[in-house]
Amino acid sequence: YAEDGHEGWLRYAHIDDPVVLRQYDGLPHRVLSLGTTPVAQAASTELVRGMESMLGSRLVAVQTLPQEDAFVLGTQTEVCHFLRNVCRQKALSGDAFAVVRVMQKGHVYWVIFGDEERGELYGVFHVLEQFASQKPIADASEAPAASVRWVNQWDNFDGSIERGYAGRSIFFDGGHVRADLSRVSEYGRLLASVGLNGCTVNNVNSDLRTLDPAMLRELARIADQLRPWGVRMSLSVDLSSPQIVDHLATFDPLDPAVVAWWQKTADEVYRLIPDFGGFVIKADSEGRLGPSKYGRTPAEAANVVARALRPHGGVVLYRGFVYNNHLDWHDLKADRARAGYDNFHALDGRFEPNVIIQIKHGPIDFQVREPLSPLFAALQHTSQAIELQVTQEYTGQQRHMVFLVPMWKAALDTDLRAQNRSTPVKEIVEGRSFHQPLGGFAGVVNVGLDTNWMHHPMAMSNLYGFGKLAWNPDLTSDEILDSWTRLTWGNNPKVVSTIDDLQRGSWHAYEEYSGPLGLGTLTNIIGIHYGPGIESAERNGWGQWLRADNKGIGIDRTVATGTGYIGQYPPELAKVYESLTTCPDELLLFMHHVPYNYVLHNGKTVVQHVYDSHYKGAATVATYAPRWEQLQGLIDEERYEKTLKLFMYQAGHAIVWRDAVSEWFLRMSGIADTRGRVGHY
Ligand code: GCU
């Protein structure tokens, strides 16, 4: 039995402590599952499996309400036939669930129900998570923050994965859907356990054959695997598909033949996959074709596709990641960060109701620190989803431990103050701030066939955390971390506190030894996005510039003298960023160009801060392995050894980062480290 296996956080480790076990003594030994759909079956099977594994108690399935204590699973309507009390409960809607203890004729029934079966499944996972974290079972009722809670996988049909760091695709191989899809079902189970309800299975840089009828028939097999877990499959599609798949003369979205083609194709998709989620579209970006070819707008393109999906209940997630990667780097007004807002804000209100604009949290591209995209505040009549990156493309590629939930929390909690009122990003994407019909969360995950899905044993905390935040963005980062640790590593207090402590500060440490002050990761931008490659950002069309010379560094994005990007924010926030006096240090070089000896709010010069933070970050990482060694014998050998090796590697690579960046700043600025460390190896 591989300790570091496919089960991720769903380990269901047996509870050995008799005192803890005793709190579950009175639980029923019967389960009545009223639904017959695959989701309802998955819910009852999961409850049986979890209780047996954790509590050693074997639930017996019964066909009718027993005259003894029982678990009862069903939709609210189904359950209410048998247990009148449940009819009196507040009506649930969408994916919400409730767990209630009902007394009837002297028997105790633990009822787990949803408005639909999906809620019932979420209720079961909730109860099992209580057991796994050794908490008592209690009445509960929860509803998700938003309807779209999707993961995106950037998998290619040949089995490779764009920005995937844990082996080959669980979906595809050699141009086809894999014969063995057992990992897909296991993935669906993990997603469902944290309330995720959609999975886009192919790369946003979509294979042009995706909508070919033969491929669709293959893809339907993936949807079959995800269905029992309430996870709707969706696809990334290329807007040139009508031309590629059926050789139409054009893919102009307003051409009647193209409109008809999308309708015919959507009908076919739903014939094969009745619960299909929708299409994700990347267009006019990084070499993908798009409506600009015909002088059409993103709204015109998105709407044609959306109208085709609408009768079937599907949605379009049109990506806000539209920018020109051939910028003129000599032009001091050119600014990639402006692109999202510039391309979309004038289209606000012009989208069909089943279109959602999927926006990366920052205006550039998943750097270690970015401000929030101003587009979130600019779209007030359009549904929006936030795109977060679980796969650690720019944050250590799952060779470095970087717990990203604190970063996402900071993003979701950022109050953009649109209309001079409170509009935190989480409320915008929930659809609450501007009363939009839809909204949600898209996480780029890119799990692979590696036994533990993501390579680093700590990295799954990011997938777990993404799901938890998509369900409830008000949870704290510490709450999420602590429950993931308990489920994944057990409840030993020393284990829990050590792992929580290690992970908690890991994003900050990574930022310190890679790219502080809002500069981005200073990573190799052109190539693999791994390791230091400072100059690679400069003097090319990709626009992730540092604008560094021997006098200063940073991009002037002010309205007064710079690219004007700051003016895309609502006035209160724009004012904070525009002024050097109020701009937070952590975003200084994102917003301003300053000399190396500019003094930060923390009293240090820019260059000294860069030196100090790199030494500090690398020193923190050097403590990971010795702290981890305190856990030897308390966790299984396999994960212990694997994690230890990764921590040792990370400590070394953090030194590489530290020295490369510090040395570069020394040469560029000519200003020595006051503590004499840099340049003296
Ligand atoms: C990044 C990433 C690409 C990806 C793109 C996107 O630029 O490096 O691999 O295709 O984002 O999100 O579309």
Side-chain angles (χ1 to χ4, degrees):
Y1 164 60
E3 287 293 346
D4 195 8
H6 300 172
E7 57 286 296
W9 54 83
L10 295 175
R11 301 172 74 77
Y12 296 158
H14 186 256
I15 300 172
D16 298 318
D17 184 339
V19 180
V20 177
L21 263 183
R22 206 166 303 139
Q23 67 182 323
Y24 306 119
D25 268 356
L27 286 178
H29 295 282
R30 300 276 178 271
V31 58
L32 169 65
S33 176
L34 295 166
T36 52
T37 63
V39 178
Q41 277 163 12
S44 65
T45 309
E46 193 68 25
L47 186 66
V48 172
R49 175 179 175 173
M51 286 194 61
E52 179 163 7
S53 182
M54 285 185 277
L55 311 182
S57 112
R58 193 175 261 278
L59 281 184
V60 177
V62 291
Q63 304 306 319
T64 184
L65 192 73
Q67 293 310 306
E68 60 182 302
D69 297 356
F71 286 98
V72 180
L73 271 51
T75 63
Q76 192 162 14
T77 323
E78 285 164 351
V79 175
C80 164
H81 283 303
F82 294 88
L83 297 162
R84 305 305 303 168
N85 262 347
V86 172
C87 312
R88 286 191 282 275
Q89 300 275 327
K90 196 169 142 247
L92 299 178
S93 68
D95 288 345
F97 73 81
V99 178
V100 288
R101 183 179 180 276
V102 175
M103 288 286 292
Q104 190 164 294
K105 297 194 185 143
H107 305 300
V108 172
Y109 300 105
W110 279 101
V111 192
I112 305 174
F113 63 96
D115 172 39
E116 298 169 17
E117 272 100 2
R118 206 187 272 122
E120 182 185 328
L121 182 61
Y122 296 152
V124 165
F125 278 118
H126 167 83
V127 167
L128 294 175
E129 188 162 313
Q130 299 301 106
F131 298 151
S133 30
Q134 308 194 345
K135 294 183 189 142
I137 171 171
D139 284 12
S141 173
E142 290 188 17
S147 56
V148 171
R149 304 181 304 280
W150 289 14
V151 295
N152 291 180
Q153 286 277 144
W154 288 352
D155 295 35
N156 299 311
F157 293 166
D158 67 4
S160 63
I161 305 178
E162 180 149 340
R163 317 299 178 189
Y165 309 108
R168 293 180 58 83
S169 171
I170 63 171
F171 303 110
F172 307 112
D173 193 24
H176 294 277
V177 170
R178 296 177 65 85
D180 175 7
L181 291 177
S182 51
R183 289 294 293 275
V184 177
S185 165
E186 291 175 287
Y187 188 38
R189 176 170 169 252
L190 282 164
L191 299 178
S193 73
V194 285
L196 293 166
N197 65 358
C199 179
T200 313
V201 296
N202 63 325
N203 194 349
V204 280
N205 299 311
S206 144
D207 190 298
L208 300 179
R209 292 179 305 126
T210 302
L211 292 174
D212 189 290
M215 196 61 202
L216 285 175
R217 284 192 290 279
E218 291 194 32
L219 289 160
R221 288 184 43 237
I222 299 179
D224 293 343
Q225 297 298 316
L226 295 173
R227 187 166 299 116
W229 303 107
V231 176
R232 296 168 76 177
M233 190 185 86
S234 49
L235 291 171
S236 293
V237 296
D238 192 277
L239 283 177
S240 71
S241 301
Q243 231 176 12
I244 304 296
V245 176
D246 273 327
H247 311 294
L248 264 56
T250 173
F251 70 87
D252 178 356
L254 299 193
D255 185 286
V258 172
V259 173
W261 187 88
W262 282 106
Q263 190 60 66
K264 175 197 87 167
T265 303
D267 295 347
E268 175 63 4
V269 169
Y270 278 88
R271 195 181 64 73
L272 293 166
I273 309 165
D275 61 344
F276 186 72
F279 292 143
V280 173
I281 298 176
K282 173 176 179 180
D284 287 321
S285 178
E286 299 185 333
R288 308 305 295 185
L289 291 172
S292 69
K293 180 163 190 236
Y294 302 99
R296 310 297 187 201
T297 66
E300 285 167 323
N303 288 346
V304 165
V305 182
R307 284 184 209 115
L309 293 171
R310 199 170 178 190
H312 305 286
V315 294
V316 169
L317 282 125
Y318 199 99
R319 296 178 84 229
F321 189 63
V322 176
Y323 75 100
N324 172 8
N325 63 334
H326 300 286
L327 288 177
D328 174 9
W329 108 281
H330 296 100
D331 176 3
L332 292 178
K333 298 286 175 190
D335 187 0
R336 171 171 163 184
R338 292 186 56 111
Y341 179 99
D342 284 346
N343 285 310
F344 284 90
H345 86 280
L347 301 175
D348 189 21
R350 305 251 196 97
F351 292 91
E352 290 286 332
N354 59 330
V355 177
I356 300 166
I357 307 301
Q358 179 171 320
I359 306 167
K360 291 191 185 192
H361 75 271
I364 298 285
D365 194 4
F366 302 133
Q367 304 301 292
V368 69
R369 170 84 67 173
E370 292 190 41
L372 265 291
S373 169
L375 187 54
F376 289 114
L379 298 180
Q380 303 183 358
H381 307 277
T382 305
S383 297
Q384 306 181 49
I386 189 168
E387 182 177 309
L388 301 169
Q389 200 182 39
V390 177
T391 192
Q392 293 172 234
E393 176 179 356
Y394 286 99
T395 49
Q397 304 194 351
Q398 285 125 253
R399 270 68 188 157
H400 292 228
M401 173 180 71
V402 182
F403 179 57
L404 292 165
V405 172
M407 170 163 109
W408 301 333
K409 261 305 273 184
L412 290 164
D413 288 344
T414 298
D415 188 351
L416 291 172
R417 305 282 307 161
Q419 303 168 347
N420 297 325
R421 61 181 172 87
S422 169
T423 53
V425 171
K426 62 187 172 193
E427 291 180 19
I428 294 176
V429 300
E430 285 170 30
R432 273 162 59 193
S433 293
F434 307 125
H435 311 290
Q436 289 309 301
L438 295 171
F441 300 78
V444 180
V445 181
N446 300 355
V447 297
L449 278 175
D450 271 17
T451 315
N452 70 358
W453 304 95
M454 292 201 129
H455 190 75
H456 201 305
M458 296 294 170
M460 284 291 269
S461 59
N462 289 323
L463 175 55
Y464 176 88
F466 168 73
K468 289 284 171 182
L469 283 179
W471 182 273
N472 178 7
D474 292 330
L475 288 174
T476 67
S477 175
D478 276 356
E479 283 169 323
I480 291 172
L481 176 58
D482 197 63
S483 42
W484 175 80
T485 305
R486 287 172 188 280
L487 303 187
T488 308
W489 300 93
N491 289 283
N492 177 314
K494 185 170 173 191
V495 172
V496 173
S497 68
T498 304
I499 294 178
D500 283 359
D501 288 347
L502 280 165
Q503 289 246 57
R504 190 176 291 117
S506 57
W507 166 49
H508 193 52
Y510 187 84
E511 180 182 28
E512 286 177 326
Y513 67 80
S514 60
L517 302 175
L519 264 184
T521 57
L522 303 179
T523 198
N524 180 329
I525 292 292
I526 304 299
I528 54 170
H529 300 177
Y530 190 69
I534 301 141
E535 290 279 332
S536 69
E538 300 280 57
R539 294 177 290 278
N540 61 54
W542 290 89
Q544 287 177 246
W545 307 315
L546 315 172
R547 292 240 180 258
D549 56 22
N550 60 2
K551 296 194 187 60
I553 188 164
I555 301 194
D556 181 357
R557 293 191 156 108
T558 61
V559 177
T561 54
T563 69
Y565 164 82
I566 291 175
Q568 296 183 336
Y569 287 100
E572 290 180 34
L573 203 54
K575 201 167 157 220
V576 171
Y577 291 149
E578 180 81 10
S579 156
L580 277 169
T581 324
T582 46
C583 183
D585 285 351
E586 68 212 22
L587 287 173
L588 179 73
L589 301 180
F590 193 96
M591 303 291 180
H592 295 273
H593 182 86
V594 296
Y596 292 100
N597 59 3
Y598 177 81
V599 178
L600 301 167
H601 294 120
N602 68 14
K604 293 183 183 178
T605 61
V606 164
V607 67
Q608 192 58 42
H609 177 88
V610 168
Y611 298 146
D612 288 352
S613 87
H614 279 77
Y615 275 84
K616 182 162 169 281
T620 303
V621 175
T623 68
Y624 291 176
R627 282 151 80 191
W628 184 251
E629 281 168 340
Q630 302 298 311
L631 300 185
Q632 188 168 24
L634 297 178
I635 54 181
D636 54 278
E637 272 295 300
E638 190 185 334
R639 288 187 297 170
Y640 173 79
E641 288 296 335
K642 192 170 189 174
T643 310
L644 182 60
K645 285 197 187 105
L646 281 159
F647 283 163
M648 291 165 128
Y649 167 83
Q650 187 177 356
H653 202 220
I655 292 172
V656 172
W657 265 105
R658 180 196 76 188
D659 291 350
V661 176
S662 303
E663 182 79 16
W664 184 86
F665 270 83
L666 175 64
R667 287 188 194 185
M668 213 51 183
S669 69
I671 301 174
D673 169 23
T674 56
R675 296 174 62 188
R677 296 158 298 189
V678 185
H680 299 282
Y681 309 114

